[in-house]
């Protein structure tokens, strides 16, 4: 198959194909990793319930008004996710290389956009950005994570005007907004088409865009359509997370909004794709 065919959007049967996976290096570690991943799923779900029914009610009593409660609660979630990533590291399941860790913590009022190779990408980003809001799928507001999501984050099932109003109010307080422009996890081969939602929000809120590249080893076991009990064939997961050059909205504000949204979306894709190519080649 040619390189062009691999980078173009194709049918799911190819884009999520597992036939090119390497053989398992260490079968005992593979079994351990699969069981550890199951334990971490349960731990994460239980932690979300504890936050929703114990920690957040206490915070609501102690912290007023609602805006201050959300800021404090997001900080708690960020530290909790940081602890979760530390557990993954200590258990030998994953390692994280984040050169710009301090810069991430200093971001304010940015639209953070990233590729989305695995189900824990949002955990990684929120752990790095203490004051992070996020646009999440409406279906997650009915899951075990509902108690956290409904109180802190913005669901994409809202009408655009209501959603943009919430985004504007959130960003005005210095909070950052995390969006995955592909709308779902990045396939193993190629990418999904980038949606214009993040660019439209950036234009309507007059906030700059901060692209992020999430790389490292193959994320098999955490990707879309992967078996629940599957795990990385190469050993533990390695995450390399890079802050990329910022996209300034001021450069696009004199352009007609629909055209500007397309150009900003194309720029997001270009910046992240270039990072993927240069970083992945450097790591080979």
């Amino acid at each position: 198959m040619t390189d062009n065919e691999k980078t173009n959007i194709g049918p799911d049967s190819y884009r999520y194909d597992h036939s090119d996976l390497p053989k398992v290096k260490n079968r005992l570690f593979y079994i351990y990793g699969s069981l550890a991943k199951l334990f971490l799923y349960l731990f994460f779900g239980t932690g979300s319930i504890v936050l929703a029914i114990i920690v957040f009610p206490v915070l609501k009593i102690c912290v007023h008004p609602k805006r201050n409660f959300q800021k404090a609660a997001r900080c708690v979630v960020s530290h909790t996710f940081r602890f979760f990533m530390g557990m993954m590291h200590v258990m030998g399941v994953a390692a994280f290389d984040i050169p710009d860790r301090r810069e991430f913590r200093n971001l304010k009022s940015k639209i953070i956009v990233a590729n989305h190779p695995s189900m824990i990408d949002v955990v990684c980003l929120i752990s790095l950005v203490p004051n992070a809001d996020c646009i999440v799928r409406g279906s997650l507001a009915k899951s075990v994570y509902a108690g956290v999501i409904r109180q802190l984050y913005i669901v994409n099932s809202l009408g655009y005007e209501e959603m943009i109003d919430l985004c504007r109010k959130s960003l005005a307080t210095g909070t950052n907004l995390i969006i995955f422009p592909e709308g779902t996890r990045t396939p193993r081969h190629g990418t999904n088409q980038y949606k214009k939602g993040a660019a439209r929000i950036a234009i309507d809120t007059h906030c700059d865009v901060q692209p992020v590249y999430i790389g490292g080893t193959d994320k098999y076991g955490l990707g879309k359509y992967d078996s629940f009990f599957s795990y990385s064939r190469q050993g533990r997961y390695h995450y390399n997370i890079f802050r990329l050059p910022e996209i300034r909205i001021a450069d696009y504000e004199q352009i007609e909004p629909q055209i500007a949204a397309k150009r900003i979306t194309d720029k997001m894709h270009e910046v992240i794709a270039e990072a993927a190519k240069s970083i992945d080649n450097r790591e080979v």
Side-chain angles (χ1 to χ4, degrees):
M1 186 168 291
T2 67
D3 289 340
N4 286 336
E5 289 173 323
K6 289 182 179 181
T7 54
N8 289 334
I9 294 176
D12 282 356
S13 58
Y14 165 66
R15 298 190 319 130
Y16 295 96
D17 182 45
H18 297 150
S19 62
D20 60 342
L21 286 169
K23 292 182 179 179
V24 175
K25 286 186 176 181
N26 185 323
R27 188 160 294 278
L28 285 177
F29 185 81
Y30 183 86
I31 294 170
Y32 165 77
S34 300
L35 294 175
K37 193 180 79 170
L38 176 60
F39 167 77
L40 289 165
Y41 275 138
L42 296 174
F43 182 86
F44 191 88
T46 303
S48 298
I49 294 170
V50 170
L51 285 175
I53 67 175
I54 299 177
V55 178
F56 287 177
V58 172
L59 273 179
K60 279 186 175 179
I61 294 171
C62 301
V63 181
H64 299 280
K66 182 180 179 181
R67 184 175 65 184
N68 290 342
F69 157 73
Q70 287 185 323
K71 182 177 180 180
R74 286 177 184 138
C75 188
V76 168
V77 171
S78 179
H79 281 82
T80 303
F81 284 2
R82 205 176 302 167
F83 175 78
F84 181 79
M85 289 171 64
M87 282 187 61
M88 294 181 71
H89 178 74
V90 170
M91 293 175 68
V93 174
F96 302 92
D97 180 17
I98 308 167
D100 304 315
R101 193 181 294 269
R102 180 174 296 179
E103 287 78 5
F104 275 111
R105 292 178 186 172
N106 293 329
L107 292 175
K108 289 185 179 180
S109 300
K110 305 296 182 186
I111 310 290
I112 299 174
V113 298
N115 58 315
H116 193 9
S118 77
M119 63 176 62
I120 68 163
D121 300 331
V122 71
V123 174
C124 296
L125 293 178
I126 290 177
S127 75
L128 292 171
V129 184
N131 56 335
D133 202 342
C134 186
I135 294 183
V136 299
R137 293 198 320 271
S139 59
L140 289 176
K142 300 177 183 178
S143 68
V144 69
Y145 314 118
V148 174
I149 289 170
R150 289 177 180 173
Q151 297 185 71
L152 299 186
Y153 304 118
I154 302 169
V155 295
N156 64 5
S157 55
L158 299 173
Y160 183 75
E161 292 303 322
E162 183 179 0
M163 185 173 70
I164 196 65
D165 184 57
L166 291 173
C167 292
R168 193 176 287 116
K169 289 176 179 176
S170 181
L171 288 159
T173 65
T175 300
N176 301 284
L177 184 63
I178 297 172
I179 304 174
F180 295 107
E182 290 178 78
T184 187
R185 274 170 278 175
T186 308
R188 289 179 49 75
H189 305 283
T191 62
N192 298 302
Q193 182 176 356
Y194 276 38
K195 299 179 180 179
K196 297 178 185 176
R200 289 179 63 195
I201 291 171
I203 293 168
D204 289 343
T205 60
H206 306 285
C207 288
D208 295 332
V209 176
Q210 176 58 69
V212 174
Y213 175 63
I214 301 173
T217 57
D218 185 78
K219 304 299 187 293
Y220 177 64
L222 299 175
K224 194 170 183 178
Y225 301 134
D226 292 349
S227 169
F228 185 75
F229 292 101
S230 59
Y231 184 69
S232 171
R233 303 287 186 90
Q234 299 170 298
R236 65 179 178 172
Y237 298 107
H238 284 261
Y239 280 79
N240 296 330
I241 303 176
F242 295 89
R243 179 171 171 254
L244 305 176
E246 197 173 277
I247 300 172
R248 297 178 67 253
I249 293 305
D251 296 339
Y252 299 87
E253 288 185 333
Q254 302 304 315
I255 305 172
E256 196 277 325
Q258 288 188 343
I259 297 173
K262 183 180 186 309
R263 290 185 182 177
I264 294 168
T265 303
D266 291 344
K267 185 65 176 178
M268 293 177 197
H269 196 174
E270 175 189 331
V271 169
I272 293 173
E274 285 181 356
K277 186 176 181 180
S278 63
I279 292 169
D280 289 349
N281 287 341
R282 190 172 67 205
E283 291 174 348
V284 172

